[in-house]
């Protein structure tokens, strides 16, 4: 299709991981170590996200304005040269907010299947992220949402007609260019708000299966526990246990993110399909107990352990909030 000639309104949501956190990262190691279990997780898009207007622009540049989510309306700007991959890579590897934008641009213009079409065009793309309702560094995939927004903007500005899976792949490979070596789960925010999706991670292969059957209205209460989150630190902690376990602790982590996680996710999918709210709550309690037994600070350290998006900084608070969460899923 032809590139967009008028302004296009876009929205990219965040995502909540309902179950299976970090199994995307662990399952990716199956490409080199087939004995590792495939990762599985359930995610759902949030109603909070990035609102943007996209249009083509003169010159081979990406011009983006970002609005902070803290309510003060603060804005910042960035101009990236799409005809200078070296500069894009340097910005991507520098870290920070704009690294995710630059990393996605770098992938699109160098190694994506759309590189020739984008590079042969005389125009660029302008993204005005005029409103952000998605909190950052809260485990809601704010970084992935930025990468998906950039990928979707390229699709509209250059007439690429990308599928949702195409956008996910571009966003994933773009974020992998940055210091945040993410797994493949976060980019499922591309599916939009309120749509539960079951993801399976088998090495480099990703399977996406929408959870079409929901047996009851499930209202998810997401609480901000005022914890910090450092994805790089969390993944560094996991790295010590993969790809091959060398200690009993490592074997426990493999079990937690492997066959135990698969069982928890399967049970959760059944409970969602049947509208079994109490059953879903029991799955969460069992998953928390397994995490306490096999992970905790043994692998991540006390600080990093608290940063996992489904586990509270204060264990007693998690259990109180966990019960409340279970009681309100109807």
């Amino acid at each position: 299709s032809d590139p967009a000639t008028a302004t296009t309104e876009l929205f990219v949501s965040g995502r909540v991981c309902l179950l299976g956190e970090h199994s995307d990262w662990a399952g990716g190691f199956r490409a080199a170590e087939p004995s590792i279990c495939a990762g599985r997780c359930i995610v759902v898009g949030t109603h909070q996200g990035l609102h943007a207007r996209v249009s083509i622009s003169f010159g081979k540049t990406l011009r983006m304005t970002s609005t902070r989510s803290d309510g003060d309306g603060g804005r910042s700007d960035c101009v990236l040269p799409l005809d200078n991959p070296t500069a894009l890579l340097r910005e991507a590897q520098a870290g920070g907010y704009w690294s995710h934008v630059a990393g996605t641009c770098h992938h699109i213009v160098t190694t994506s299947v759309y590189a020739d079409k984008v590079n042969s065009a005389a125009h660029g793309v302008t993204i005005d992220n005029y409103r952000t309702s998605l909190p950052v560094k809260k485990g809601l995939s704010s970084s992935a949402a930025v990468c998906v927004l950039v990928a979707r903007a390229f699709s509209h500005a250059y007439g690429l007609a990308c599928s949702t899976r195409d956008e996910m792949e571009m966003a994933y490979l773009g974020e992998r260019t940055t210091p945040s070596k993410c797994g493949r789960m976060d980019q499922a925010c591309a599916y939009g708000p309120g749509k539960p999706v079951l993801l399976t991670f088998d090495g480099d292969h990703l399977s996406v299966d929408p959870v079409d059957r929901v047996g009851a209205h499930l209202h998810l209460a997401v609480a901000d526990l005022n914890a910090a989150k450092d994805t790089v630190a969390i993944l560094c902690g996991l790295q010590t246990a993969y790809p091959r376990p060398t200690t009993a602790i490592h074997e426990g982590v493999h079990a937690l993110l492997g066959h135990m996680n698969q069982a928890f996710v399967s049970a959760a999918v059944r409970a969602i399909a049947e509208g079994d709210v109490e059953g879903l709550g029991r799955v969460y309690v069992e998953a928390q107990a397994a995490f306490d037994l096999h992970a905790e600070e043994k692998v991540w350290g006390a600080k990093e352990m608290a940063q996992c998006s489904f586990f509270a900084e204060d264990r007693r608070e998690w259990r109180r909030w966990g019960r409340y969460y279970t009681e309100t899923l109807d």
Side-chain angles (χ1 to χ4, degrees):
S1 58
D2 294 329
T5 56
T7 299
T8 301
E9 187 82 19
L10 297 181
F11 172 76
V12 177
S13 70
R15 69 98 189 98
V16 174
C17 178
L18 301 184
L19 207 62
E21 187 80 28
H22 300 308
S23 71
D24 59 328
W25 183 90
F29 281 101
R30 278 179 56 80
E33 183 52 61
S35 64
I36 295 174
C37 290
R40 298 183 81 202
C41 70
I42 310 169
V43 303
V44 63
T46 67
H47 291 281
Q48 295 74 35
L50 309 178
H51 302 256
R53 300 183 182 99
V54 175
S55 59
I56 62 174
S57 61
F58 295 105
K60 299 176 74 66
T61 60
L62 177 139
R63 300 174 180 273
M64 182 167 177
T65 302
S66 175
T67 303
R68 291 197 298 267
S69 62
D70 55 12
D72 70 355
R75 290 163 64 84
S76 56
D77 304 275
C78 182
V79 178
L80 297 172
L82 299 179
D83 56 354
N84 189 341
T86 300
L88 292 174
L89 182 60
R90 183 168 56 248
E91 181 68 31
Q93 294 176 337
Y97 178 86
W98 296 113
S99 69
H100 297 89
V101 177
T104 307
C105 291
H106 180 267
H107 165 65
I108 291 173
V109 303
T110 57
T111 57
S112 78
V113 296
Y114 305 106
D116 289 343
K117 184 170 185 177
V118 172
N119 291 330
S120 64
H123 65 272
V125 56
T126 297
I127 305 173
D128 179 13
N129 167 213
Y130 63 89
R131 178 172 178 250
T132 299
S133 55
L134 183 67
V136 299
K137 295 186 177 181
K138 298 296 183 180
L140 299 176
S141 292
S142 57
S143 297
V146 172
C147 296
V148 170
L149 174 61
V150 172
R152 190 166 292 173
F154 268 85
S155 180
H156 282 270
Y158 291 91
L160 305 181
C162 297
S163 67
T164 302
R165 289 291 301 275
D166 293 335
E167 293 172 350
M168 288 177 62
E169 186 70 7
M170 288 192 290
Y172 167 73
L173 294 174
E175 188 164 0
R176 293 284 294 183
T177 309
T178 75
S180 176
K181 304 299 183 183
C182 62
R184 288 182 175 271
M185 172 181 63
D186 293 352
Q187 293 74 30
C189 62
Y191 279 89
K195 299 177 180 178
V197 178
L198 173 63
L199 305 177
T200 302
F201 311 94
D202 188 347
D204 294 327
H205 180 69
L206 168 65
S207 298
V208 181
D209 298 296
V211 181
D212 294 324
R213 185 182 172 195
V214 180
H217 292 295
L218 305 178
H219 302 282
L220 307 182
V222 180
D224 184 352
L225 298 165
N226 294 316
K229 181 178 181 293
D230 187 337
T231 302
V232 175
I234 292 172
L235 295 183
C236 285
L238 281 171
Q239 187 74 48
T240 64
Y242 283 82
R244 295 181 179 86
T246 57
T247 68
I249 291 175
H250 293 170
E251 290 174 355
V253 174
H254 277 245
L256 176 68
L257 299 181
H259 69 268
M260 296 177 70
N261 176 70
Q262 289 186 349
F264 292 141
V265 170
S266 295
V269 170
R270 288 194 299 271
I272 291 171
E274 296 169 2
D276 184 359
V277 178
E278 292 183 357
L280 184 59
R282 285 193 294 271
V283 173
Y284 282 123
V285 171
E286 293 171 6
Q288 176 67 54
F291 182 89
D292 289 347
L293 178 63
H294 294 290
E296 290 203 2
E297 58 266 33
K298 296 173 184 176
V299 177
W300 283 281
K303 179 182 177 183
E304 286 73 21
M305 178 270 298
Q307 292 166 344
C308 297
S309 56
F310 245 88
F311 303 100
E313 188 171 8
D314 182 305
R315 284 314 174 86
R316 292 167 299 178
E317 179 63 20
W318 159 255
R319 291 192 173 93
R320 288 197 297 272
W321 184 70
R323 286 195 292 272
Y324 170 79
Y325 176 89
T326 301
E327 291 165 2
T328 56
L329 287 178
D330 54 20

